[in-house]
Amino acid sequence: MRSLGPAARCLLSLRLCPRPPGARLSCGPATTAGALERAMDELLRRAVPATPAYELREKTPAPVEGQCADFVSFYGGLGDVAERAELLGRLAKGFGVDHGQVAEQSAGVLQLRQHPREPAVLLLAEDRLRYALVPRYRGLFRNISKLDGGVPFLVCLRADLLQAQTLKLLEGPHVREMDGVLKSMLTEWFSSGFLNLERVTWHSPCEVLQKISESEVVHPIKNWMDIKRRVGPYRRCYFFSHCSTPEEPLVVLHVALTPEITSNIQEIVKDCPPSETEDKNHITTVIFYSISLTQQGLQGIELGTFLIKRVIKELRREFPHVAAFSSLSPIPGFTKWLLGLLSSPKEHGRSPLFTDSEAQELAELTGGPVADTLKAFLSSHEWALSEQLTRALQAPLMRLCAWYLYGEKHRGYALNPVANFHLQNGAVLWRINWMADQSRKGLTGSCGLMVNYRYFLEEITMNSTAYLGSKHIKASEQVLSLVTQFQKSSKL
């Protein structure tokens, strides 16, 4: 049985547009490659609307719904990722911007700039240029969005587009441009005004609880008792849904209500019966411990940022006395980054990551060269079973982690995606926690370390502006002290 891509699954789960009667396009297993390509070209020729002349832009007839539905139905029948990538590639390359029109309109604008006339003439020329810069496939996306279930279909289509780029099935500027156009359209359709904030409780519909359970990838939910704990007393779970798909979670946020800023995730997701009652006097802190995007086609759209801000407002109304808002976040990629450093050339036969005394102690404990033996140990979770090794690694790994979060950059911003997310939101890199996640996933992914990003509500806007504008990371004294120790003791 062929696996279905995200868009095809959307067709099944959301029951998008049924195929209208009329000419049918064959894309079954027996279809030859040449016949399938011809069918794709014929489909795109009919489904992608032509760009009307500028003077007729507001007088064009309404789109034929069947043409859009044909595209949706045909696409849903492409069960192979390579076939979907082929269709998307043809759409991106063959139905983009008319570069001849862009050149012509650009020349007109430049001529008017050199020989000024009344402002209305220049503004009209600039409007013509903007119109010429709109790719044809944008019209197809716009028409599909008007179908019943069309917006969810486009979300899934973008997920396929991103997957095809990851798999190197689609590359090049035309594909990146189409992804940018579709992302921009989805950003408008999924702006905060169209999103509904919904709280999940044990009394929520079973389907919603099931979706929440399946969407949790940060700290996987084990069973129904586990989900009951995570939506019960001293816990909150919220999600955004879109007006086009009510009760369909788009992004999910799990919250713990605690007496202090928690430093260990097992304290939050531990296996114990939930309390029957909730004492508000014991709640002084809100901990965001998991946020998951359920629709990969919405990557890059600030749903998580909107959700955290809305939840903060909601909880401040419910608990006006709460003083602290913080995350307890994983550090994905830290172990991979560290293993890369351990594999790098050594200086004078020793690793540049450790002091002489640390290297000597670690060599005695591991029974071999520090870099080689640590690579083997840190690639599994079993190293944490040794109390001596755990104690010996605490100081070097804490300062290495501080540098990874604070000093390692991508285009000037934090390399770690979770750090970048919270720092963009205006949070402070507040505390790094040793042995904070002792699950197998936590030990192998980030050496058991977790971090608190603290949200000082009166400073959020200022911190976000400083990070996005000047790329400055606001960090606590603990983190800055660890960074200084790294710079003094490590020879990178």
Side-chain angles (χ1 to χ4, degrees):
M1 180 178 179
R2 295 180 300 175
S3 61
L4 296 179
R9 289 194 295 271
C10 272
L11 283 167
L12 297 176
S13 62
L14 297 176
R15 295 184 182 178
L16 298 185
C17 318
R19 184 171 178 79
R24 302 186 64 82
L25 292 169
S26 172
C27 56
T31 305
T32 65
L36 180 58
E37 291 172 0
R38 289 192 296 273
M40 288 180 179
D41 291 337
E42 172 63 18
L43 170 75
L44 294 175
R45 185 188 64 77
R46 292 190 301 106
V48 182
T51 303
Y54 178 81
E55 293 75 15
L56 301 175
R57 66 194 184 283
E58 296 179 355
K59 301 176 182 178
T60 53
V64 179
E65 185 174 306
Q67 295 175 353
C68 300
D70 267 346
F71 181 89
V72 171
S73 181
F74 184 99
Y75 190 88
L78 297 175
D80 182 80
V81 63
E83 293 176 350
R84 298 192 299 274
E86 177 66 24
L87 179 60
L88 293 174
R90 287 171 181 267
L91 179 62
K93 293 179 183 178
F95 297 87
V97 168
D98 184 337
H99 297 290
Q101 272 293 311
V102 172
E104 181 180 332
Q105 300 303 329
S106 298
V109 171
L110 289 173
Q111 187 176 12
L112 288 171
R113 295 281 294 174
Q114 294 168 356
H115 305 285
R117 295 174 62 181
E118 55 269 24
V121 177
L122 177 59
L123 290 174
L124 178 61
E126 290 174 342
D127 194 50
R128 285 178 173 272
L129 175 57
R130 275 193 297 272
Y131 184 70
L133 286 167
V134 176
R136 279 185 63 185
Y137 49 68
R138 194 179 193 281
L140 173 65
F141 297 153
R142 184 176 60 249
N143 292 344
I144 290 175
S145 73
K146 299 174 183 178
L147 298 174
D148 182 25
V151 172
F153 170 82
L154 290 172
V155 172
C156 297
L157 184 144
R158 182 166 182 255
D160 283 340
L161 185 59
L162 294 173
Q163 181 188 32
Q165 292 179 80
T166 300
L167 297 174
K168 305 297 183 183
L169 295 172
L170 282 178
E171 294 181 289
H174 294 92
V175 174
R176 291 192 294 272
E177 174 67 16
M178 188 169 78
D179 176 54
V181 168
L182 186 51
K183 177 186 173 184
S184 176
M185 297 176 79
L186 291 171
T187 299
E188 292 183 10
W189 296 330
F190 286 85
S191 62
S192 57
F194 297 109
L195 301 174
N196 302 314
L197 179 66
E198 302 189 39
R199 179 184 167 188
V200 183
T201 70
W202 185 239
H203 302 292
S204 297
C206 181
E207 294 81 3
V208 171
L209 290 169
Q210 182 70 28
K211 290 173 183 176
I212 295 298
S213 178
E214 292 173 351
S215 70
E216 176 53 32
V217 296
V218 183
H219 306 291
I221 293 172
K222 303 169 188 174
N223 48 44
W224 283 106
M225 183 56 68
D226 198 2
I227 187 67
K228 185 176 184 179
R229 281 190 294 270
R230 299 199 195 189
V231 299
Y234 298 105
R235 300 292 181 267
R236 296 292 186 273
C237 179
Y238 299 92
F239 69 86
F240 268 149
S241 64
H242 191 260
C243 55
S244 66
T245 54
E247 294 190 345
E248 184 72 32
L250 302 175
V251 57
V252 182
L253 178 65
H254 290 269
V255 176
L257 307 174
T258 64
E260 60 185 0
I261 297 180
T262 311
S263 61
N264 187 290
I265 191 62
Q266 272 71 46
E267 295 177 10
I268 293 176
V269 298
K270 59 187 175 183
D271 296 329
C272 64
S275 303
E276 294 299 326
T277 58
E278 189 175 88
D279 186 350
K280 291 189 175 184
N281 295 324
H282 291 168
I283 299 171
T284 64
T285 304
V286 171
I287 300 292
F288 310 118
Y289 68 91
S290 174
I291 185 165
S292 298
L293 184 68
T294 68
Q295 304 292 330
Q296 295 308 306
L298 296 176
Q299 284 184 39
I301 299 172
E302 296 183 344
L303 298 181
T305 299
F306 293 150
L307 182 56
I308 285 179
K309 291 180 178 179
R310 286 277 293 275
V311 167
I312 287 176
K313 289 182 180 179
E314 188 77 12
L315 291 174
R316 290 189 77 187
R317 283 195 291 266
E318 186 177 0
F319 304 102
H321 63 284
V322 164
F325 294 83
S326 174
S327 78
L328 179 60
S329 301
I331 312 172
F334 173 63
T335 300
K336 182 179 179 181
W337 172 81
L338 179 56
L339 292 175
L341 292 185
L342 291 171
S343 300
S344 61
K346 304 173 182 60
E347 181 181 320
H348 304 302
R350 64 172 287 258
S351 171
L353 307 179
F354 308 100
T355 64
D356 291 336
S357 59
E358 289 170 347
Q360 181 178 349
E361 182 181 8
L362 288 169
E364 291 173 356
L365 290 172
T366 59
V370 173
D372 295 335
T373 54
L374 278 184
K375 279 193 296 182
F377 275 108
L378 296 178
S379 296
S380 74
H381 65 285
E382 295 180 358
W383 62 272
L385 300 175
S386 168
E387 184 177 340
Q388 286 182 306
L389 184 57
T390 301
R391 186 171 57 250
L393 283 172
Q394 180 173 357
L397 290 190
M398 285 283 285
R399 65 174 184 263
L400 281 162
C401 184
W403 177 255
Y404 171 69
L405 294 172
Y406 184 85
E408 290 294 318
K409 303 292 180 64
H410 174 66
R411 298 178 180 175
Y413 298 104
L415 173 67
N416 182 265
V418 178
N420 187 53
F421 169 76
H422 287 290
L423 294 170
Q424 283 186 20
N425 293 345
V428 174
L429 179 53
W430 191 67
R431 186 176 67 193
I432 297 171
N433 304 295
W434 178 246
M435 287 291 109
D437 183 0
Q438 298 184 48
S439 68
R440 177 176 297 198
K441 181 179 179 182
L443 290 168
T444 56
S446 55
C447 299
L449 290 154
M450 297 190 78
V451 57
N452 298 114
Y453 298 99
R454 188 164 176 183
Y455 286 77
F456 295 95
L457 302 187
E458 67 280 3
E459 300 177 7
I460 284 177
T461 301
M462 179 178 62
N463 293 342
S464 177
T465 301
Y467 180 68
L468 294 172
S470 60
K471 303 174 181 177
H472 171 71
I473 294 178
K474 183 72 174 293
S476 68
E477 291 184 5
Q478 183 234 28
V479 174
L480 293 177
S481 174
L482 289 169
V483 169
T484 300
Q485 293 174 36
F486 169 86
Q487 292 171 327
K488 288 181 179 179
S489 60
S490 299
K491 299 180 180 181
L492 292 181

mmCIF file of all heavy atoms in Angstrom, residues 8 13 52 66 99 142 144 147 159-160 167 201 249 288 341 368 376 405 454 470 474:
data_model
loop_
_atom_site.group_PDB
_atom_site.id
_atom_site.type_symbol
_atom_site.label_atom_id
_atom_site.label_comp_id
_atom_site.label_asym_id
_atom_site.label_seq_id
_atom_site.Cartn_x
_atom_site.Cartn_y
_atom_site.Cartn_z
ATOM 1 N N ALA A 8 -2.574 14.433 0.952
ATOM 2 C CA ALA A 8 -3.497 13.339 0.663
ATOM 3 C C ALA A 8 -4.232 12.908 1.924
ATOM 4 O O ALA A 8 -5.426 12.599 1.887
ATOM 5 C CB ALA A 8 -2.719 12.160 0.073
ATOM 6 N N SER A 13 -8.974 12.845 5.878
ATOM 7 C CA SER A 13 -9.442 13.158 7.221
ATOM 8 C C SER A 13 -10.405 14.327 7.254
ATOM 9 O O SER A 13 -11.327 14.360 8.057
ATOM 10 C CB SER A 13 -8.248 13.454 8.136
ATOM 11 O OG SER A 13 -7.542 14.583 7.661
ATOM 12 N N PRO A 52 -5.112 38.281 -15.781
ATOM 13 C CA PRO A 52 -5.789 39.223 -16.684
ATOM 14 C C PRO A 52 -4.976 40.499 -16.844
ATOM 15 O O PRO A 52 -4.100 40.801 -16.032
ATOM 16 C CB PRO A 52 -7.121 39.485 -15.984
ATOM 17 C CG PRO A 52 -6.855 39.220 -14.545
ATOM 18 C CD PRO A 52 -5.827 38.127 -14.508
ATOM 19 N N GLY A 66 -14.887 23.724 -10.294
ATOM 20 C CA GLY A 66 -14.477 22.393 -10.701
ATOM 21 C C GLY A 66 -13.006 22.309 -11.054
ATOM 22 O O GLY A 66 -12.367 21.275 -10.851
ATOM 23 N N HIS A 99 8.383 37.527 -16.253
ATOM 24 C CA HIS A 99 9.547 38.411 -16.115
ATOM 25 C C HIS A 99 9.587 39.489 -17.187
ATOM 26 O O HIS A 99 10.122 40.577 -16.952
ATOM 27 C CB HIS A 99 10.829 37.581 -16.136
ATOM 28 C CG HIS A 99 10.934 36.623 -14.991
ATOM 29 N ND1 HIS A 99 11.129 37.029 -13.698
ATOM 30 C CD2 HIS A 99 10.837 35.259 -14.949
ATOM 31 C CE1 HIS A 99 11.170 35.967 -12.902
ATOM 32 N NE2 HIS A 99 10.990 34.885 -13.633
ATOM 33 N N ARG A 142 -5.286 31.047 -4.091
ATOM 34 C CA ARG A 142 -6.397 31.856 -3.618
ATOM 35 C C ARG A 142 -7.731 31.196 -3.936
ATOM 36 O O ARG A 142 -8.650 31.162 -3.105
ATOM 37 C CB ARG A 142 -6.330 33.250 -4.250
ATOM 38 C CG ARG A 142 -7.400 34.212 -3.748
ATOM 39 C CD ARG A 142 -7.246 35.601 -4.334
ATOM 40 N NE ARG A 142 -7.338 35.570 -5.790
ATOM 41 C CZ ARG A 142 -6.334 35.809 -6.617
ATOM 42 N NH1 ARG A 142 -5.135 36.084 -6.128
ATOM 43 N NH2 ARG A 142 -6.492 35.764 -7.933
ATOM 44 N N ILE A 144 -8.284 27.955 -4.409
ATOM 45 C CA ILE A 144 -8.433 26.753 -3.583
ATOM 46 C C ILE A 144 -8.883 27.132 -2.175
ATOM 47 O O ILE A 144 -9.695 26.429 -1.555
ATOM 48 C CB ILE A 144 -7.118 25.955 -3.543
ATOM 49 C CG1 ILE A 144 -6.835 25.322 -4.910
ATOM 50 C CG2 ILE A 144 -7.167 24.872 -2.463
ATOM 51 C CD1 ILE A 144 -5.505 24.613 -4.995
ATOM 52 N N LEU A 147 -12.565 27.030 -1.459
ATOM 53 C CA LEU A 147 -13.289 25.757 -1.425
ATOM 54 C C LEU A 147 -13.523 25.318 0.012
ATOM 55 O O LEU A 147 -12.783 25.699 0.925
ATOM 56 C CB LEU A 147 -12.490 24.672 -2.152
ATOM 57 C CG LEU A 147 -12.205 24.879 -3.642
ATOM 58 C CD1 LEU A 147 -11.287 23.777 -4.133
ATOM 59 C CD2 LEU A 147 -13.492 24.912 -4.442
ATOM 60 N N ALA A 159 3.279 21.466 3.630
ATOM 61 C CA ALA A 159 4.054 20.441 4.338
ATOM 62 C C ALA A 159 4.756 19.530 3.339
ATOM 63 O O ALA A 159 5.920 19.162 3.511
ATOM 64 C CB ALA A 159 3.145 19.636 5.266
ATOM 65 N N ASP A 160 4.045 19.153 2.263
ATOM 66 C CA ASP A 160 4.664 18.344 1.209
ATOM 67 C C ASP A 160 5.805 19.097 0.536
ATOM 68 O O ASP A 160 6.847 18.525 0.205
ATOM 69 C CB ASP A 160 3.618 17.967 0.157
ATOM 70 C CG ASP A 160 2.704 16.842 0.625
ATOM 71 O OD1 ASP A 160 3.080 16.112 1.552
ATOM 72 O OD2 ASP A 160 1.612 16.693 0.048
ATOM 73 N N LEU A 167 14.119 16.448 1.353
ATOM 74 C CA LEU A 167 14.588 15.228 0.690
ATOM 75 C C LEU A 167 15.368 15.512 -0.594
ATOM 76 O O LEU A 167 15.761 14.569 -1.287
ATOM 77 C CB LEU A 167 13.385 14.330 0.358
ATOM 78 C CG LEU A 167 12.582 13.806 1.548
ATOM 79 C CD1 LEU A 167 11.348 13.050 1.076
ATOM 80 C CD2 LEU A 167 13.445 12.905 2.430
ATOM 81 N N THR A 201 -9.554 19.875 28.831
ATOM 82 C CA THR A 201 -9.757 19.285 30.151
ATOM 83 C C THR A 201 -10.081 17.806 29.967
ATOM 84 O O THR A 201 -10.240 17.322 28.842
ATOM 85 C CB THR A 201 -10.910 19.972 30.914
ATOM 86 O OG1 THR A 201 -12.152 19.620 30.282
ATOM 87 C CG2 THR A 201 -10.743 21.487 30.907
ATOM 88 N N PRO A 249 -6.492 20.894 16.689
ATOM 89 C CA PRO A 249 -5.335 21.608 17.240
ATOM 90 C C PRO A 249 -4.293 21.923 16.169
ATOM 91 O O PRO A 249 -3.931 21.070 15.360
ATOM 92 C CB PRO A 249 -4.773 20.615 18.267
ATOM 93 C CG PRO A 249 -5.900 19.687 18.580
ATOM 94 C CD PRO A 249 -6.688 19.568 17.311
ATOM 95 N N PHE A 288 5.880 26.834 31.236
ATOM 96 C CA PHE A 288 5.576 26.296 29.908
ATOM 97 C C PHE A 288 6.577 25.162 29.648
ATOM 98 O O PHE A 288 7.767 25.415 29.463
ATOM 99 C CB PHE A 288 5.741 27.374 28.834
ATOM 100 C CG PHE A 288 5.022 28.658 29.152
ATOM 101 C CD1 PHE A 288 5.732 29.845 29.303
ATOM 102 C CD2 PHE A 288 3.658 28.689 29.308
ATOM 103 C CE1 PHE A 288 5.087 31.034 29.597
ATOM 104 C CE2 PHE A 288 2.993 29.871 29.597
ATOM 105 C CZ PHE A 288 3.710 31.053 29.752
ATOM 106 N N LEU A 341 32.345 18.525 18.401
ATOM 107 C CA LEU A 341 33.554 19.119 18.982
ATOM 108 C C LEU A 341 34.531 18.043 19.430
ATOM 109 O O LEU A 341 35.749 18.192 19.267
ATOM 110 C CB LEU A 341 33.182 19.995 20.180
ATOM 111 C CG LEU A 341 32.398 21.282 19.902
ATOM 112 C CD1 LEU A 341 32.230 22.067 21.188
ATOM 113 C CD2 LEU A 341 33.106 22.142 18.860
ATOM 114 N N GLY A 368 40.366 5.600 29.029
ATOM 115 C CA GLY A 368 40.948 5.806 27.714
ATOM 116 C C GLY A 368 41.021 7.285 27.375
ATOM 117 O O GLY A 368 40.722 8.143 28.219
ATOM 118 N N ALA A 376 31.710 7.758 22.836
ATOM 119 C CA ALA A 376 30.977 6.501 22.983
ATOM 120 C C ALA A 376 29.980 6.583 24.131
ATOM 121 O O ALA A 376 28.826 6.150 24.005
ATOM 122 C CB ALA A 376 31.956 5.356 23.207
ATOM 123 N N LEU A 405 24.223 27.669 23.946
ATOM 124 C CA LEU A 405 22.998 28.461 23.888
ATOM 125 C C LEU A 405 23.271 29.943 23.667
ATOM 126 O O LEU A 405 22.510 30.625 22.971
ATOM 127 C CB LEU A 405 22.206 28.286 25.186
ATOM 128 C CG LEU A 405 21.646 26.881 25.451
ATOM 129 C CD1 LEU A 405 21.064 26.803 26.857
ATOM 130 C CD2 LEU A 405 20.595 26.515 24.412
ATOM 131 N N ARG A 454 13.003 32.673 31.023
ATOM 132 C CA ARG A 454 12.052 33.365 31.908
ATOM 133 C C ARG A 454 11.449 34.581 31.201
ATOM 134 O O ARG A 454 12.157 35.353 30.550
ATOM 135 C CB ARG A 454 12.738 33.791 33.193
ATOM 136 C CG ARG A 454 11.751 34.328 34.214
ATOM 137 C CD ARG A 454 12.324 34.385 35.605
ATOM 138 N NE ARG A 454 11.371 34.984 36.536
ATOM 139 C CZ ARG A 454 11.613 35.213 37.813
ATOM 140 N NH1 ARG A 454 12.794 34.869 38.325
ATOM 141 N NH2 ARG A 454 10.707 35.769 38.587
ATOM 142 N N SER A 470 19.429 44.033 17.288
ATOM 143 C CA SER A 470 20.895 44.039 17.453
ATOM 144 C C SER A 470 21.453 42.659 17.777
ATOM 145 O O SER A 470 22.647 42.522 18.027
ATOM 146 C CB SER A 470 21.280 45.021 18.563
ATOM 147 O OG SER A 470 20.688 44.640 19.803
ATOM 148 N N LYS A 474 19.673 38.486 26.087
ATOM 149 C CA LYS A 474 19.577 38.836 27.510
ATOM 150 C C LYS A 474 19.706 37.540 28.316
ATOM 151 O O LYS A 474 18.926 36.604 28.132
ATOM 152 C CB LYS A 474 18.227 39.502 27.785
ATOM 153 C CG LYS A 474 18.031 39.971 29.220
ATOM 154 C CD LYS A 474 18.877 41.197 29.519
ATOM 155 C CE LYS A 474 18.575 41.750 30.922
ATOM 156 N NZ LYS A 474 17.212 42.314 31.028
#
